[in-house]
């Protein structure tokens, strides 16, 4: 199948796939589908010669006659049939063309950016399969496969001139390899010489068969790494050099090639079976032959404003820097921003995403929503009888929410607030506004314990106002569930609180108008969408107590409006956080501190990283919840009631323990991190976190947020082992210095990166080939501002059709963009 036909079929398929996505949820969003399919089909029919293909396309085209007047079921059937016809076309054409495609490429000698990498010189099927593990399918993908660092091979250092611990690049010959023993350990050594001195490469754990095959005496070697001095053997060494930092050349191989020597050399991320030498050689061919074919999709006024270069020149420079340039540290914010080429590539990637997010936001606002009247009599009366005063931050956020609710299109807003900042009361007032307008509201939370607490809090707040609040969760009996479902479907239930049980098919709302999703990162995209589909374009408020740094929020949640509660309610005492090294003396102080609080009638959490004891020797210093429960209840605090809570307990057991803790029947609760989310016990004033070095920074902050909920002074005690890594030491130091969740989130993002920060299962995290939202925060801000201005002035991107096409290709599916015109 020709590349042109494959592309045309892809264009034909795209609006149909969009309409059918998520069980045809998008069908109502697609306008003029009959005309779109008719135009595309006719264009392809006029250009292809194959009669069979023409006939198949005519069937697709004709099936959409009078499409707009068909029933919903007929529309679904027509789209499914058309998609199957396109699959058949693709299959028959590709099997016919595969046998001749390779010959065509050879005879033409011409390749395009969209062609598979296997047709490149030096690639072939085996290497293309390895490249596919790095998501490299076509030639254009290779152009955007960037180095992770650079090496300066303009003047390689002689071994004899190395006189201190430093990172160096060395070029020499392998003169020996051997295995030595140290007690029960085998140590693999490779000795290299450059004629001025020798250096030893050392592996304490290694695949000896692989190393012997790779490091053959007589071969030439380039290696980079941290050099240290072995005072026992009195020699220089590099311990465990990384595979991507080593290049081996045969004795007779050319080492004067300027791709690999005498220049600033790019070092790429590797996959097993692929060497630096091979990937660099391939990239050189691709950059020299294809970089000029890249389109400049950034409009000229924006390029001039931010002093950007063309994308083709920038890609060339980032891939193979000019030897006259200084070496760029790819981890450095300053270096990247200071290099026009590197800044351009980063801006290019951010700009595409930000255009997509801006279009998504614009598209969402085109949906017809509910225009609520805010601040009615009921809401004002409710606020007036609250036992506390709304903070200025809560007032500001409520104003932002009211402003959205008054509009004719749906609200789509993220509410951020630190632990204990008062997000729940903001959500209750917002839901009450919808109820006063005659609509139902729903609040979905991730755990039954949290739902129970929300239900208890909200129903007590609203019982005197005649508002019916119901709780729906998985654990209730069928008869009770049926009663609750009837209350929801009849509209008698004004506010519904629940878990994932809310998205079951048998849960039907009479007129759902407002959706609140608490701890939204615990839910998948489809779960959130299914809840929203229970109403007709309801307003949506998603809440998180995990503060998200601005750079991450505008990339992951850039299509949402964002509100921040950045002020704690008055009377809240700051939590004092202390770090202890694990010792008998410190244990005595910790337990005395806990006992004093318990004697005052207060309560305590003790958090452990694991449930049960492990035989693994690496875990010998770990505190286990089950063992700590026994020790604390029988030996340390026998006069108090100690409870145990962990993830392996069933829901009834968990709820029973939490109810006892809430009612102060249990004074000390030993738990794993299941207490991390949302549980509010105002009488709990002290927390002990065991093995605190094992937790993430944001997780430690979330755990700490379980105390300090009342007016009494609270203390969080972090216990850590003596041997701390640099990262562990850094994060525990931050915990003792600040209670500001946003400062902690920024530090955690730097430590872990965006994927780990939000959790590996978090969907919707954009990935970039070169841009980095932490390192390039300033470039991201500039790209966002530019994108917002462009979409505001040209909502359909009529002035930038290539940009529109590339945004759809890159982000259309993930953002569910409907760019059909």
């Amino acid at each position: 199948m020709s590349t042109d036909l494959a592309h045309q079929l892809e264009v034909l398929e795209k609006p149909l796939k969009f309409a059918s996505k998520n069980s045809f949820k998008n069908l109502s969003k697609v306008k003029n589908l009959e005309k779109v399919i008719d135009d595309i089909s006719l264009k392809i029919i006029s250009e292809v010669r194959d009669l069979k293909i023409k006939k198949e396309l005519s069937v697709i085209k004709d099936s959409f006659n009078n499409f707009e007047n068909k029933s919903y079921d007929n529309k679904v059937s027509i789209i499914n049939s058309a998609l199957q016809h396109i699959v058949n076309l693709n299959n028959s054409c590709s099997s016919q063309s595969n046998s001749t495609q390779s010959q065509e490429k050879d005879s033409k000698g011409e390749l395009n950016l969209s062609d598979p990498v296997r047709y490149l010189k030096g690639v072939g099927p085996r290497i293309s399969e390895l490249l596919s593990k790095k998501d490299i399918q076509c030639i254009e993908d290779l152009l955007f496969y960037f180095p992770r660092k650079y090496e300066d091979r303009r003047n390689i250092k002689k071994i004899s001139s190395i006189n201190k611990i430093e990172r160096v690049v060395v070029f020499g010959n392998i003169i020996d390899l051997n295995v030595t023993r140290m007690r029960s350990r085998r140590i693999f050594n490779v000795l290299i010489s450059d004629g001025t001195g020798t250096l030893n490469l050392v592996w304490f754990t290694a695949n000896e068969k692989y190393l012997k095959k790779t490091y053959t005496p007589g071969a030439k070697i380039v290696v980079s790494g941290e050099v240290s001095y072995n005072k026992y053997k009195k020699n220089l060494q590099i311990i465990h050099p990384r595979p991507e930092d080593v290049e081996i050349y045969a004795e007779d191989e050319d080492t004067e090639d300027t791709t690999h020597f005498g220049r600033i050399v790019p070092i790429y991320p590797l996959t097993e079976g692929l060497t630096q030498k091979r990937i660099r050689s391939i990239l050189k061919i691709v950059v020299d032959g294809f970089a000029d074919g890249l389109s400049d999709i950034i409009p000229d006024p924006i390029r001039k404003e931010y002093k950007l270069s063309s994308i083709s020149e920038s890609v060339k420079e980032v891939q193979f820097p000019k030897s006259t340039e200084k070496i760029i540290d790819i981890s450095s914010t300053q270096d990247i921003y200071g290099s026009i080429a590197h800044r351009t590539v980063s801006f290019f990637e951010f700009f595409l995403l930000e255009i997509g997010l801006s279009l998504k936001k614009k598209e969402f606002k085109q949906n017809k929503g509910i225009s609520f009247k805010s601040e009615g009599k009921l809401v004002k009366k409710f606020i007036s009888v609250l036992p506390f005063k709304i903070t200025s931050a809560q007032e500001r956020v409520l104003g932002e929410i009211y402003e959205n609710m008054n509009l004719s299109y749906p609200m789509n807003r993220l509410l951020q607030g630190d632990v204990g900042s008062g997000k729940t009361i903001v959500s209750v007032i917002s839901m009450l506004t919808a109820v006063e307008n005659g609509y139902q509201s729903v609040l979905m939370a991730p755990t039954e314990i949290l739902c129970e607490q929300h239900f208890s809090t909200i129903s007590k707040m609203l019982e005197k106002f005649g508002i019916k609040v119901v709780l729906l969760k998985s654990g209730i009996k069928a008869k009770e569930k049926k009663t609750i479902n009837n209350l929801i479907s009849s509209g008698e239930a004004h506010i519904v609180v629940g878990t994932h049980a809310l998205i079951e098919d048998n849960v039907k709302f009479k007129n759902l108008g407002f959706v609140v999703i608490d701890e939204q990162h615990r839910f998948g995209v489809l779960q959130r969408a299914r809840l929203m589909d229970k109403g007709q374009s309801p307003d949506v408020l998603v809440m998180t107590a995990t503060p998200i740094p601005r750079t991450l929020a505008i990339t992951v949640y850039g299509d949402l409006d964002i509100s921040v509660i950045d002020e704690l309610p008055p009377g809240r005492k700051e939590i004092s956080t202390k770090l202890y090294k694990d010792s008998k003396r410190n244990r005595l102080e910790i337990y005395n501190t806990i006992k004093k609080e318990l004697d005052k009638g207060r309560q305590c959490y003790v958090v452990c990283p694991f449930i049960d004891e492990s035989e693994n020797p690496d875990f010998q210093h770990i505190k286990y919840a089950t063992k700590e429960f026994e020790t604390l209840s029988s030996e340390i605090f026998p006069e108090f009631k100690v409870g145990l809570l962990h993830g392996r307990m069933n829901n009834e057991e968990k709820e029973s323990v939490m109810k006892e803790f809430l009612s102060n029947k249990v004074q000390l609760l030993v738990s794993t991190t299941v207490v991390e989310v949302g549980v509010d016990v105002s009488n709990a004033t002290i927390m002990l976190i065991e093995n605190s070095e094992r937790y993430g920074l944001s997780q430690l902050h979330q755990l700490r947020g379980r105390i300090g909920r009342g007016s009494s002074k609270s203390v969080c005690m972090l216990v850590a082992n003596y041997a701390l890594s640099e990262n562990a030491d850094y994060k525990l130091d931050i915990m003792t210095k600040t209670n500001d969740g946003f400062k902690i989130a920024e530090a955690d993002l730097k430590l872990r990166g965006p994927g780990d920060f939000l959790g590996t299962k978090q969907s919707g995290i954009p990935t970039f080939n070169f841009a980095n939202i932490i390192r390039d925060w300033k470039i991201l801000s500039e790209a966002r501002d530019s994108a917002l201005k462009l979409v505001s002035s040209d909502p359909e991107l009529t002035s930038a059709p290539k940009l529109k096409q590339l945004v759809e290709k890159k982000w259309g599916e993930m953002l569910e963009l409907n760019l059909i015109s």
Side-chain angles (χ1 to χ4, degrees):
M1 179 168 48
S2 74
T3 305
D4 284 346
L5 179 57
H7 175 68
Q8 287 172 323
L9 289 175
E10 189 181 332
V11 170
L12 180 63
E13 186 181 43
K14 191 161 283 185
L16 300 173
K17 273 191 168 181
F18 179 82
S20 67
K21 196 162 186 178
N22 298 336
S23 302
F24 287 85
K25 186 186 81 173
N26 294 331
L27 183 54
S28 60
K29 297 179 185 178
V30 181
K31 307 302 179 191
N32 302 319
L33 190 58
E34 178 181 345
K35 185 177 185 307
V36 170
I37 299 302
D38 193 67
D39 289 348
I40 298 171
S41 301
L42 279 172
K43 185 176 186 300
I44 305 174
I45 289 168
S46 68
E47 292 178 4
V48 296
R49 295 180 181 178
D50 192 305
L51 291 175
K52 187 178 177 183
I53 295 174
K54 284 178 182 283
K55 186 177 179 182
E56 197 87 6
L57 287 164
S58 296
V59 170
I60 295 172
K61 183 179 85 67
D62 294 344
S63 69
F64 281 84
N65 289 340
N66 203 27
F67 181 80
E68 302 302 328
N69 297 322
K70 305 275 195 216
S71 69
Y72 175 83
D73 288 342
N74 275 343
K75 287 179 179 178
V76 168
S77 176
I78 290 165
I79 291 171
N80 280 331
S81 175
L83 284 168
Q84 188 55 55
H85 275 290
I86 294 170
V87 169
N88 295 342
L89 274 171
N90 274 316
N91 289 341
S92 62
C93 293
S94 61
S95 60
Q96 177 186 333
S97 64
N98 277 344
S99 59
T100 60
Q101 197 172 37
S102 182
Q103 293 168 329
E104 286 174 9
K105 296 290 180 189
D106 288 343
S107 62
K108 281 168 40 181
E110 294 176 2
L111 291 171
N112 298 311
L113 289 172
S114 59
D115 283 325
V117 293
R118 67 177 177 273
Y119 297 124
L120 282 166
K121 181 183 177 183
V123 178
R126 189 185 74 83
I127 298 297
S128 69
E129 194 174 323
L130 294 174
L131 291 171
S132 69
K133 293 177 182 178
K134 291 289 187 180
D135 291 326
I136 297 170
Q137 308 295 338
C138 67
I139 293 170
E140 188 170 6
D141 293 337
L142 263 176
L143 282 173
F144 286 89
Y145 187 67
F146 293 106
R148 66 173 182 83
K149 66 172 186 177
Y150 300 110
E151 268 182 15
D152 192 347
R153 295 191 186 171
R154 291 172 293 188
N155 296 295
I156 292 177
K157 197 157 192 172
K158 297 296 183 185
I159 294 174
S160 60
S161 67
I162 302 170
N163 54 20
K164 60 180 180 180
I165 295 173
E166 59 182 327
R167 186 169 185 87
V168 298
V169 180
V170 174
F171 175 57
N173 292 83
I174 298 172
I175 58 174
D176 188 31
L177 61 155
N178 61 73
V179 177
T180 57
R181 285 187 174 275
M182 182 182 286
R183 299 189 183 92
S184 60
R185 179 181 284 179
R186 289 169 63 85
I187 302 170
F188 194 89
N189 302 276
V190 171
L191 190 65
I192 65 176
S193 168
D194 67 354
T196 72
T198 59
L199 182 143
N200 207 25
L201 309 181
V202 182
W203 289 264
F204 294 109
T205 54
N207 179 337
E208 288 185 24
K209 186 177 178 182
Y210 165 77
L211 291 176
K212 285 176 181 176
K213 183 181 175 183
T214 304
Y215 295 89
T216 55
K220 300 168 189 172
I221 182 171
V222 180
V223 60
S224 67
E226 195 81 32
V227 173
S228 59
Y229 183 72
N230 187 324
K231 60 183 179 182
Y232 299 107
K233 293 190 174 182
K234 293 185 170 57
N235 67 0
L236 296 170
Q237 62 184 11
I238 296 177
I239 297 171
H240 279 276
R242 295 167 58 166
E244 57 261 50
D245 292 336
V246 177
E247 291 174 36
I248 309 288
Y249 294 81
E251 285 184 78
D252 58 351
E253 200 169 346
D254 177 20
T255 53
E256 300 297 319
D257 183 349
T258 54
T259 301
H260 310 291
F261 293 94
R263 67 178 305 145
I264 297 171
V265 172
I267 304 295
Y268 295 93
L270 296 180
T271 188
E272 190 176 349
L274 201 59
T275 65
Q276 275 300 337
K277 200 170 42 174
R278 175 59 69 88
I279 188 70
R280 193 182 300 123
S281 297
I282 292 168
L283 257 299
K284 190 70 172 74
I285 292 168
V286 170
V287 170
D288 289 348
F290 297 93
D292 286 331
L294 292 171
S295 297
D296 272 313
I297 50 85
I298 301 173
D300 285 340
I302 294 173
R303 280 173 56 193
K304 287 173 184 172
E305 182 180 356
Y306 293 103
K307 296 180 174 62
L308 306 173
S309 62
S310 71
I311 191 63
S312 56
E313 289 305 313
S314 297
V315 165
K316 288 178 190 177
E317 179 62 28
V318 172
Q319 293 287 13
F320 291 93
K322 297 183 182 72
S323 291
T324 54
E325 300 292 326
K326 74 159 195 152
I327 278 213
I328 298 293
D329 178 359
I330 285 181
S331 66
S332 165
T333 297
Q334 189 175 348
D335 277 16
I336 296 301
Y337 195 80
S339 162
I340 293 175
H342 292 78
R343 189 170 77 246
T344 299
V345 171
S346 185
F347 189 100
F348 178 88
E349 290 198 280
F350 284 143
F351 187 67
L352 284 177
L353 173 67
E354 293 302 334
I355 288 286
L357 289 168
S358 299
L359 290 170
K360 178 70 176 175
K361 200 168 187 175
K362 180 209 73 171
E363 186 182 302
F364 190 81
K365 288 179 178 179
Q366 289 174 342
N367 293 333
K368 183 159 178 57
I370 304 160
S371 183
F372 295 100
K373 291 178 181 176
S374 58
E375 295 188 279
K377 290 179 182 177
L378 181 63
V379 170
K380 286 178 180 175
K381 188 176 179 183
F382 172 74
I383 293 173
S384 71
V385 299
L386 286 172
F388 50 83
K389 189 177 183 300
I390 298 287
T391 67
S392 58
Q394 288 171 318
E395 282 183 355
R396 186 189 71 248
V397 167
L398 279 167
E400 292 166 353
I401 292 170
Y402 288 155
E403 191 178 332
N404 272 168
M405 292 181 77
N406 289 338
L407 296 170
S408 59
Y409 55 82
M411 177 175 78
N412 200 17
R413 184 168 286 276
L414 170 70
L415 174 57
Q416 286 200 79
D418 211 342
V419 182
S421 61
K423 295 181 300 300
T424 303
I425 192 65
V426 168
S427 70
V428 171
I429 293 169
S430 304
M431 289 191 289
L432 196 56
T433 301
V435 171
E436 192 169 7
N437 278 264
Y439 289 88
Q440 293 169 290
S441 297
V442 63
L443 188 157
M444 183 164 74
T447 66
E448 295 201 356
I449 292 173
L450 188 52
C451 280
E452 287 269 10
Q453 186 161 308
H454 277 315
F455 171 69
S456 174
T457 302
I458 295 169
S459 53
K460 281 176 188 173
M461 280 181 171
L462 299 177
E463 60 186 352
K464 62 181 79 168
F465 296 95
I467 302 298
K468 180 74 174 173
V469 185
V470 298
L471 174 67
L472 186 65
K473 56 180 186 172
S474 301
I476 57 179
K477 292 177 181 174
K479 187 177 179 182
E480 186 184 353
K481 188 177 277 189
K482 186 178 179 182
T483 302
I484 293 168
N485 281 336
N486 287 338
L487 289 170
I488 296 170
S489 61
S490 68
E492 290 177 68
H494 302 112
I495 294 177
V496 185
V497 178
T499 58
H500 302 76
L502 288 165
I503 63 175
E504 291 173 4
D505 290 337
N506 61 342
V507 180
K508 299 186 187 303
F509 287 79
K510 184 180 181 183
N511 55 347
L512 178 62
F514 198 89
V515 172
V516 179
I517 299 171
D518 195 15
E519 293 301 327
Q520 58 78 35
H521 61 283
R522 301 285 180 116
F523 296 103
V525 174
L526 289 178
Q527 290 171 319
R528 297 199 293 266
R530 285 188 67 183
L531 182 59
M532 289 176 231
D533 284 346
K534 301 281 183 182
Q536 289 295 317
S537 298
D539 280 4
V540 179
L541 181 69
V542 294
M543 305 195 300
T544 176
T546 305
I548 303 167
R550 184 176 180 274
T551 50
L552 188 55
I554 65 176
T555 48
V556 180
Y557 304 112
D559 58 322
L560 277 67
D561 294 309
I562 299 175
S563 291
V564 179
I565 302 178
D566 50 8
E567 175 187 2
L568 289 177
R572 284 276 170 92
K573 298 278 177 66
E574 195 163 277
I575 301 167
S576 170
T577 304
K578 297 177 181 178
L579 175 62
Y580 295 89
K581 298 294 170 140
D582 199 354
S583 68
K584 285 184 180 179
R585 183 179 174 180
N586 285 341
R587 282 274 160 202
L588 191 61
E589 182 183 333
I590 289 165
Y591 292 145
N592 281 337
T593 303
I594 292 173
K595 189 174 186 308
K596 283 177 186 175
E597 285 297 298
L598 296 181
D599 284 339
K600 291 179 194 173
R602 306 297 183 198
Q603 289 165 277
C604 171
Y605 292 99
V606 175
V607 183
C608 302
F610 295 131
I611 300 172
D612 294 320
E613 199 162 356
S614 169
E615 294 180 4
N616 189 327
D618 292 340
F619 295 162
Q620 59 182 321
H621 299 298
I622 298 297
K623 294 288 183 181
Y624 300 92
T626 50
K627 189 175 180 182
E628 282 304 289
F629 168 71
E630 291 171 11
T631 303
L632 294 175
S633 56
S634 60
E635 298 175 25
I636 313 296
F637 302 109
E639 69 271 42
F640 297 102
K641 179 77 183 290
V642 180
L644 175 65
L645 183 72
H646 59 72
R648 276 201 224 126
M649 297 164 70
N650 62 42
N651 287 329
E652 285 182 8
E653 289 171 326
K654 286 180 196 170
E655 285 179 37
S656 174
V657 172
M658 277 313 302
K659 282 176 182 174
E660 287 194 317
F661 192 58
L662 280 162
S663 61
N664 204 1
K665 290 177 183 175
V666 165
Q667 288 79 48
L668 190 150
L669 182 63
V670 180
S671 174
T672 55
T673 55
V674 291
V675 296
E676 179 188 348
V677 175
V679 182
D680 190 352
V681 182
S682 58
N683 192 48
T685 58
I686 194 155
M687 175 176 279
L688 167 61
I689 303 179
E690 300 283 7
N691 303 108
S692 55
E693 73 279 1
R694 300 189 70 87
Y695 300 92
L697 193 45
S698 289
Q699 191 175 37
L700 285 170
H701 181 63
Q702 287 296 306
L703 288 167
R704 179 172 62 181
R706 298 307 104 221
I707 59 173
R709 315 289 288 191
S711 57
S712 302
K713 186 180 178 183
S714 297
V715 179
C716 178
M717 297 178 289
L718 309 173
V719 177
N721 287 321
Y722 277 90
L724 289 180
S725 67
E726 188 179 339
N727 276 359
D729 198 39
Y730 170 71
K731 70 184 175 187
L732 296 179
D733 183 56
I734 288 171
M735 283 292 293
T736 62
K737 287 179 177 174
T738 183
N739 282 278
D740 187 327
F742 288 93
K743 287 181 181 174
I744 285 168
E746 288 283 0
D748 200 20
L749 182 60
K750 285 177 184 174
L751 278 175
R752 296 195 288 158
D756 286 340
F757 180 87
L758 287 173
T760 52
K761 292 182 181 177
Q762 170 73 22
S763 51
I765 300 173
T767 55
F768 303 104
N769 295 308
F770 181 75
N772 180 302
I773 66 169
I774 303 166
R775 180 196 65 199
D776 305 333
W777 59 270
K778 191 174 180 182
I779 303 170
L780 170 60
S781 182
E782 292 172 349
R784 178 173 169 77
D785 290 345
S786 302
L788 288 169
K789 284 177 190 172
L790 181 60
V791 172
S792 176
S793 63
D794 184 6
E796 301 302 323
L797 296 183
T798 51
S799 64
K802 285 185 178 179
L803 170 60
K804 185 176 181 178
Q805 188 180 2
L806 195 54
V807 169
E808 185 178 14
K809 178 183 173 185
K810 175 72 176 169
W811 297 111
E813 187 172 348
M814 179 181 144
L815 297 176
E816 292 190 345
L817 289 172
N818 178 17
L819 299 184
I820 304 157
S821 54

